[in-house]
Amino acid sequence: MKLIIQIPCYNEAATIGTVLHTLPREVEGFDTVEWLIIDDGSTDNTADVAREHGVDHVVRFSVNRGLASGFIAGLDACLRLGADVIVNTDADNQYESGDIPTLVAPILAGEAEMVIGERPIDSIKDFSPFKKRLQHVGSSVVRAVSHTDVADAPSGFRAIARQAAMQLNVHNPYTYTLETIIQAGHKGIAIANTPVRVNTDLRPSRLVKSIGSYVRRSLGTILRFNVVYRPFPFFFWIGVLLFLPGVALGVRFLFFYFAGAGDGHVQSLILASVLLGFGFHTMLVAFVADLIAVNRRISEDIQYRVRKLEYGDSPGDKKR
């Protein structure tokens, strides 16, 4: 069994040594523990510092592609290297590396394929009361959209089993945290939570430049993937909300028309026609979108099978 711990990095020369110093080289249940960093186009000597501190593998981009691209490139590299389980952590030393054995335990026990580290949000001193409340609200929205019980959706400290990693895709260039949970929920990947400790941040977050920007981007991500993974109810109920007022206005016009006062209510007839037309066509879009979603699921299944052929079985798979 092989565990690979991956760390997406961007100009982390000042912090990566501290993070690597805390990572374990032995974890119960694994024969091998390796470290991998994704150097996302750093302009400093992040990769050199990481090598000096014993990192085993470096994936490097020539330009900065963003956190999500770095995360998925790391998964790809870990799978090629034969990882049975992949742990993702941050380069700012936010998460306590000593909790990695706890993080991977549900996967080793066969209880989950993805484990999310649940931070003690309410006791983190660096978080304002508003940010703490926002974290809880955001996680509740992700739970509703993904049909999972994830307690800390924005947490980047997570363990992913090999088969689950092969099924994940990240299309949002901003972050991978919400999208992968929504995907996992709709693909039937078993998710578990485990409490983890946090350290004092070595630097300010580069992902959350402002609360407003983070909320806007996160809501956009959630809305987009609700459309992608639940297109039929999304478009159908929008169509219904447009169609029913059209029906009501049409009935209203007919009432006045048969009462002999139809000439004064032509506006209602026009608005009813517009709403009925938009509503009907939106409901038609729901059926088309559902057919596209079926094709997407077929394509993802083919992609998963191709990845299995490309990456092959790991030694741990064969032992099991």
Side-chain angles (χ1 to χ4, degrees):
M1 290 280 285
K2 178 187 284 190
L3 169 67
I4 298 183
I5 304 170
Q6 72 168 37
I7 309 173
C9 300
Y10 178 62
N11 290 339
E12 304 288 1
T15 61
I16 190 62
T18 302
V19 177
L20 291 173
H21 179 71
T22 65
L23 293 185
R25 275 297 185 184
E26 294 183 358
V27 175
E28 185 176 354
F30 296 94
D31 304 307
T32 307
V33 178
E34 296 177 358
W35 305 342
L36 178 146
I37 70 160
I38 305 96
D39 184 356
D40 189 14
S42 298
T43 55
D44 63 7
N45 59 336
T46 293
D48 294 333
V49 173
R51 291 189 183 97
E52 291 172 3
H53 285 80
V55 74
D56 300 285
H57 312 284
V58 175
V59 175
R60 192 175 192 283
F61 299 154
S62 57
V63 296
N64 180 253
R65 298 184 186 177
L67 180 61
S69 294
F71 172 80
I72 207 69
L75 291 189
D76 181 75
C78 290
L79 290 169
R80 292 180 186 278
L81 291 166
D84 294 285
V85 178
I86 302 163
V87 166
N88 184 85
T89 189
D90 287 355
D92 60 1
N93 200 42
Q94 176 184 175
Y95 305 106
E96 173 56 58
S97 298
D99 289 332
I100 288 178
T102 304
L103 194 68
V104 300
I107 294 178
L108 293 174
E111 299 170 354
E113 297 169 276
M114 179 186 293
V115 184
I116 311 295
E118 179 186 352
R119 296 168 294 176
I121 299 295
D122 293 328
S123 62
I124 298 178
K125 296 179 180 179
D126 295 331
F127 285 7
S128 66
F130 178 70
K131 186 174 182 179
K132 292 175 182 178
R133 180 59 183 165
L134 196 62
Q135 293 276 344
H136 289 306
V137 172
S139 293
S140 65
V141 172
V142 173
R143 284 196 294 273
V145 173
S146 63
H147 303 292
T148 66
D149 62 351
V150 171
D152 186 5
S155 173
F157 194 35
R158 51 186 65 187
I160 307 169
R162 182 179 182 83
Q163 298 301 319
M166 289 185 187
Q167 299 178 60
L168 296 179
N169 295 288
V170 178
H171 304 290
N172 183 351
Y174 181 59
T175 182
Y176 59 88
T177 54
L178 307 183
E179 182 176 349
T180 49
I181 291 172
I182 294 171
Q183 278 190 27
H186 286 277
K187 291 182 178 181
I189 296 173
I191 303 179
N193 305 290
T194 185
V196 296
R197 296 166 291 173
V198 295
N199 303 310
T200 302
D201 291 344
L202 298 179
R203 57 161 176 76
S205 172
R206 292 172 181 163
L207 186 66
V208 185
K209 295 181 179 180
S210 71
I211 296 296
S213 172
Y214 180 75
V215 170
R216 189 166 56 252
R217 287 173 176 265
S218 297
L219 287 176
T221 298
I222 293 170
L223 177 62
R224 177 185 175 191
F225 285 95
N226 195 40
V227 173
V228 170
Y229 289 99
R230 302 184 66 210
F232 185 83
F234 181 85
F235 287 107
F236 183 80
W237 288 112
I238 290 177
V240 169
L241 290 175
L242 292 170
F243 193 82
L244 290 180
V247 172
L249 286 171
V251 171
R252 179 176 180 272
F253 172 79
L254 290 175
F255 173 79
F256 285 108
Y257 177 80
F258 287 113
D263 292 342
H265 298 277
V266 176
Q267 299 92 333
S268 296
L269 178 62
I270 295 172
L271 183 57
S273 300
V274 171
L275 290 174
L276 288 170
F278 277 117
F280 178 73
H281 283 92
T282 304
M283 286 187 279
L284 286 181
V285 168
F287 288 95
V288 175
D290 192 54
L291 291 174
I292 294 173
V294 170
N295 286 328
R296 177 188 52 76
R297 288 193 293 269
I298 294 172
S299 297
E300 288 181 345
D301 182 62
I302 294 171
Q303 181 190 53
Y304 171 63
R305 294 172 184 271
V306 169
R307 283 176 172 173
K308 290 191 71 173
L309 292 172
E310 181 181 2
Y311 298 134
D313 291 329
S314 71
D317 290 330
K318 293 175 182 178
K319 288 180 182 178
R320 289 194 295 273

